[in-house]
Amino acid sequence: MASVVVSFSPVEDAEALWGACQGWGTDEKAIISILGHRNAAQRREIRQAYHHLYHEDLLNLLQSELSGDFEKAVYLWILDPADRDAVLVNAALKKPSVDYRAIIEISCIPSAEELLEVRRAYRIRYKRSMEEDVASHTIGDVRKLLVALVSSYRYEGDEVDLQLAESEAGILRDAIKDKALNHEEVIRILTTRSKLQLRATFNSFKDENGTSITKGMHNAKHEGFPSAVRAVVRCINNHKKYYEKVLRNAIEKFGTDEDVITRVIATRAEKDMKEIKDLYYKRNSVTLDQALMKETSGDYKAFVLALLGNQD
Amino acid sequence: MASVVVSFSPVEDAEALWGACQGWGTDEKAIISILGHRNAAQRREIRQAYHHLYHEDLLNLLQSELSGDFEKAVYLWILDPADRDAVLVNAALKKPSVDYRAIIEISCIPSAEELLEVRRAYRIRYKRSMEEDVASHTIGDVRKLLVALVSSYRYEGDEVDLQLAESEAGILRDAIKDKALNHEEVIRILTTRSKLQLRATFNSFKDENGTSITKGMHNAKHEGFPSAVRAVVRCINNHKKYYEKVLRNAIEKFGTDEDVITRVIATRAEKDMKEIKDLYYKRNSVTLDQALMKETSGDYKAFVLALLGNQD
């Protein structure tokens, strides 16, 4: 989001969005040029102004006029951040095979208070608690891990216990050695300790074993629980590097995964997308924008590129 | 807390408390007559005024001057409610055998937002998250139950799914029949469903089985996990009846359990103590005040009776 307008009128934007959806055909370009250059607070104001003018939710208008990946991206982009995360968790639970990565991202990367906001938004929107839905859509070890993650309210102060880090690094090492990442001590450590404490634990693991904990877990690389545990470690250790890899996989995948691309860009565009883009370029020797230009198409392409800060 | 003063001066109270602790001996009567008749907001103002006047926490003064059960009661009484609950959870964890009842009460009886306040207070006071400490001080089934309870943020709206209640009542019935209350489905249901939903489930259990779920669990009455599960059900079903029983047991116990009495009275005095007292009288044919007059003594007795609304 390099280019946000500074002076803007929510009423004029609302009217322009309404106008773009009248008559035959929809003016997607107009929609992109407006929404692609408004920050979260501005989008909220536009949605309010639209409601005031037309007594309807702007989302309804756009959902009826747009379609496919473009519609999904615009929809997620307009939502308030906590509400968007709630929608993403719910969507992840409704997939034929639960998309645990989305749930891990949303529960491990935001601050404790941000995660609480997501839980509040979830309760308002779905009339159930988030942990309730996670628990009833999952089973076994993944359930234990995910329910504990979405329920966490981690300590966020500076205090780190290095001795504890050392002893808990030992517990993780033994679990990796025994191929028992589902051990309840592993889940306890990863879901309750503060992120700073966990980073100290991961560092201690590296010091002791001469290899990073994610590399250490590499043997247990198959899908399912071990890969969920690895995602937790990576989200806590360095979520920007994690996102770079998620984008890389989504783009390289046979039949590009637009849902994943949308999720990452809608979630990070106003946060740390620039750094993720830098990491992407470093790792792939091609810019994220170039990669997306090649692998996506149509209005969707124009929209995500606008969110990445390209001028249209 | 029948008799709270209406017009009061926090500065005068702070000075009087200071005065009560000067010279030889402490004027406990003065302390009781002040603190026993001030509500939470007033106590907070007194503590602030004291700090302003003497550059010290009022708690330090009182802790250095008082002792035993009386000291503990005054200490808990002065704390803000969320902070008090945080202290109670921490104290419960530090007992030689973790006092799971206190943790169950504090995680099941308050509202979702009140529980979050306790988690915030815990983090500030102990520099760790509450679930982190619960997880590292407990093991096995009790750990699974308690960590999920203290992390919960239950839905609190009106929506109840009666069909779900029926099917989950069946799960609970099977678990009771199989003496497998530690089944992860039981923990999932009790720790994630809304309280209204759970009451519907408990009602459905009664309709189907002709007996209440707590009676149904009666066979598994021994201490430990089944009794923890029963406490959860009772706290959610009717916490006033639950507290009546807790007080009854604490009073009837050989060598009265002052810690429990203090916990209940300090926690409920400004909430629903009157109804708990009514239940106590109905069940025991003696008033709670009379029972405490007989079973407690000294300044402690005078203080808890003041909190129960007795004139001194």
Side-chain angles (χ1 to χ4, degrees):
Chain A
M1 274 231 88
S3 53
V4 168
V5 293
V6 178
S7 78
F8 97 118
S9 150
V11 171
E12 279 174 27
D13 278 355
E15 287 171 343
L17 289 168
W18 184 81
C21 296
Q22 302 311 302
W24 278 34
T26 305
D27 185 354
E28 284 88 358
K29 279 204 171 46
I31 294 173
I32 295 168
S33 93
I34 295 169
L35 293 177
H37 303 280
R38 302 292 184 275
N39 65 29
Q42 294 172 332
R43 300 195 298 278
R44 194 178 310 129
E45 283 186 63
I46 295 171
R47 201 171 157 199
Q48 284 162 351
Y50 186 90
H51 196 271
H52 190 73
L53 285 170
Y54 305 107
H55 307 291
E56 193 199 26
D57 193 336
L58 174 59
L59 285 172
N60 291 347
L61 172 80
L62 295 170
Q63 283 192 290
S64 69
E65 294 293 322
L66 312 178
S67 64
D69 295 324
F70 180 46
E71 177 196 343
K72 284 196 249 178
V74 167
Y75 180 88
L76 284 176
W77 181 242
I78 290 179
L79 296 177
D80 277 338
D83 199 24
R84 179 196 303 137
D85 283 349
V87 167
L88 286 169
V89 168
N90 190 259
L93 290 173
K94 285 192 169 153
K95 294 205 172 171
S97 156
V98 168
D99 179 6
Y100 58 81
R101 274 170 210 281
I103 300 171
I104 289 170
E105 289 167 17
I106 290 163
S107 54
C108 290
I109 297 172
S111 72
E113 288 294 334
E114 285 168 341
L115 177 56
L116 287 185
E117 278 302 319
V118 180
R119 294 173 82 184
R120 279 196 196 97
Y122 196 99
R123 235 178 51 166
I124 291 168
R125 186 177 267 272
Y126 300 107
K127 315 275 182 218
R128 287 183 303 275
S129 77
M130 196 156 92
E131 65 268 29
E132 180 176 7
D133 274 3
V134 171
S136 57
H137 284 80
T138 55
I139 52 165
D141 295 328
V142 169
R143 164 147 100 190
K144 282 179 207 155
L145 181 72
L146 294 183
V147 170
L149 286 177
V150 301
S151 308
S152 66
Y153 182 71
R154 297 179 198 267
Y155 169 65
E156 286 169 319
D158 292 337
E159 311 244 335
V160 170
D161 182 337
L162 290 176
Q163 216 173 339
L164 183 73
E166 219 171 286
S167 81
E168 296 194 334
I171 295 177
L172 296 177
R173 182 200 57 221
D174 293 346
I176 291 172
K177 216 177 60 190
D178 302 342
K179 302 199 188 242
L181 280 178
N182 60 347
H183 193 286
E184 66 177 66
E185 284 295 284
V186 175
I187 297 180
R188 174 184 68 74
I189 293 168
L190 293 178
T191 61
T192 68
R193 294 301 185 199
S194 82
K195 294 179 192 171
L196 273 187
Q197 178 70 36
L198 282 172
R199 284 183 207 131
T201 303
F202 302 155
N203 283 335
S204 170
F205 183 99
K206 201 171 183 172
D207 294 343
E208 282 296 310
N209 302 280
T211 177
S212 74
I213 184 160
T214 41
K215 287 240 174 67
M217 289 176 179
H218 204 259
N219 291 335
K221 202 189 174 180
H222 57 280
E223 276 304 298
F225 192 72
S227 98
V229 172
R230 261 167 43 104
V232 173
V233 173
R234 303 189 72 230
C235 283
I236 287 170
N237 223 356
N238 185 338
H239 72 266
K240 291 166 206 159
K241 269 179 74 179
Y242 165 86
Y243 275 129
E244 183 282 323
K245 190 170 179 188
V246 168
L247 284 171
R248 173 159 32 103
N249 289 343
I251 290 168
E252 285 175 1
K253 196 174 166 183
F254 178 74
T256 316
D257 193 336
E258 279 84 0
D259 280 357
V260 169
I261 294 171
T262 302
R263 181 177 89 225
V264 177
I265 294 181
T267 309
R268 308 317 296 182
E270 291 170 281
K271 286 182 175 148
D272 41 23
M273 201 64 221
K274 203 193 153 309
E275 291 149 277
I276 297 168
K277 281 168 74 171
D278 290 347
L279 288 169
Y280 190 92
Y281 181 64
K282 254 194 204 161
R283 177 66 179 70
N284 303 283
S285 306
V286 52
T287 68
L288 179 61
D289 300 53
Q290 288 167 327
L292 289 173
M293 249 178 254
K294 198 166 149 242
E295 298 295 337
T296 61
S297 64
D299 299 318
Y300 176 74
K301 170 161 115 177
F303 187 58
V304 292
L305 288 173
L307 297 190
L308 287 177
N310 280 262
Q311 298 301 331
D312 37 1
Chain B
M1 274 231 89
S3 53
V4 167
V5 291
V6 178
S7 77
F8 95 118
S9 152
V11 171
E12 281 175 26
D13 278 355
E15 288 171 343
L17 288 168
W18 184 82
C21 297
Q22 303 310 304
W24 277 36
T26 305
D27 185 354
E28 284 88 359
K29 279 204 172 46
I31 294 172
I32 295 169
S33 92
I34 294 170
L35 293 176
H37 303 280
R38 302 293 184 272
N39 65 29
Q42 293 173 333
R43 299 194 299 275
R44 193 177 310 129
E45 283 186 63
I46 295 170
R47 201 170 156 197
Q48 284 162 351
Y50 186 90
H51 195 271
H52 189 74
L53 285 169
Y54 305 107
H55 309 287
E56 190 199 28
D57 192 336
L58 173 59
L59 284 172
N60 291 349
L61 172 80
L62 294 171
Q63 282 193 292
S64 70
E65 293 293 323
L66 311 179
S67 64
D69 296 323
F70 180 46
E71 177 196 344
K72 286 196 246 178
V74 167
Y75 181 87
L76 284 176
W77 181 241
I78 289 178
L79 295 177
D80 278 336
D83 199 25
R84 178 196 303 138
D85 283 349
V87 167
L88 286 169
V89 168
N90 190 261
L93 290 172
K94 286 191 168 152
K95 292 203 173 174
S97 156
V98 167
D99 178 7
Y100 58 83
R101 274 170 211 281
I103 300 171
I104 289 170
E105 289 167 17
I106 289 163
S107 54
C108 292
I109 296 172
S111 72
E113 288 296 333
E114 284 169 343
L115 176 56
L116 288 184
E117 277 304 319
V118 179
R119 294 171 82 183
R120 281 197 194 95
Y122 196 99
R123 238 177 51 164
I124 291 168
R125 185 175 267 273
Y126 300 107
K127 317 275 183 219
R128 288 182 304 274
S129 77
M130 197 157 90
E131 64 268 30
E132 180 175 7
D133 275 3
V134 171
S136 57
H137 284 80
T138 55
I139 51 163
D141 296 327
V142 168
R143 164 147 100 190
K144 284 178 204 153
L145 180 73
L146 294 183
V147 170
L149 286 177
V150 300
S151 307
S152 66
Y153 181 71
R154 299 180 196 264
Y155 168 65
E156 287 168 319
D158 291 336
E159 312 244 334
V160 170
D161 183 336
L162 291 176
Q163 219 174 335
L164 183 74
E166 220 171 286
S167 82
E168 297 195 334
I171 296 177
L172 297 176
R173 182 201 55 222
D174 292 347
I176 290 173
K177 215 177 61 190
D178 302 343
K179 302 200 187 238
L181 281 178
N182 59 346
H183 193 286
E184 66 177 67
E185 285 294 284
V186 175
I187 296 180
R188 174 185 66 76
I189 292 168
L190 293 179
T191 60
T192 69
R193 295 301 186 197
S194 81
K195 293 180 192 169
L196 273 187
Q197 178 70 36
L198 283 172
R199 283 182 208 131
T201 303
F202 302 154
N203 283 334
S204 170
F205 184 99
K206 201 170 184 175
D207 294 343
E208 283 296 313
N209 301 280
T211 177
S212 75
I213 185 161
T214 40
K215 285 241 174 67
M217 290 175 177
H218 203 258
N219 290 335
K221 203 189 176 181
H222 57 280
E223 276 304 295
F225 192 70
S227 99
V229 172
R230 261 167 44 105
V232 173
V233 173
R234 303 190 72 231
C235 282
I236 287 172
N237 223 356
N238 186 338
H239 73 267
K240 291 166 206 159
K241 268 179 74 178
Y242 164 86
Y243 276 130
E244 183 282 324
K245 191 171 177 186
V246 168
L247 284 172
R248 174 160 31 104
N249 289 342
I251 290 169
E252 285 175 0
K253 196 175 164 184
F254 179 75
T256 314
D257 193 334
E258 278 83 2
D259 280 357
V260 170
I261 294 170
T262 301
R263 181 175 90 227
V264 178
I265 293 180
T267 309
R268 307 317 294 182
E270 291 171 282
K271 285 179 175 151
D272 41 24
M273 202 63 222
K274 203 194 153 308
E275 291 149 277
I276 297 168
K277 281 169 74 173
D278 290 348
L279 288 169
Y280 190 93
Y281 181 63
K282 255 195 203 160
R283 177 66 177 73
N284 302 282
S285 307
V286 52
T287 68
L288 179 61
D289 300 53
Q290 288 167 327
L292 290 172
M293 251 179 254
K294 200 168 147 237
E295 297 296 338
T296 61
S297 63
D299 299 318
Y300 176 74
K301 170 161 116 178
F303 187 58
V304 293
L305 288 174
L307 297 190
L308 288 177
N310 280 262
Q311 298 301 330
D312 38 0

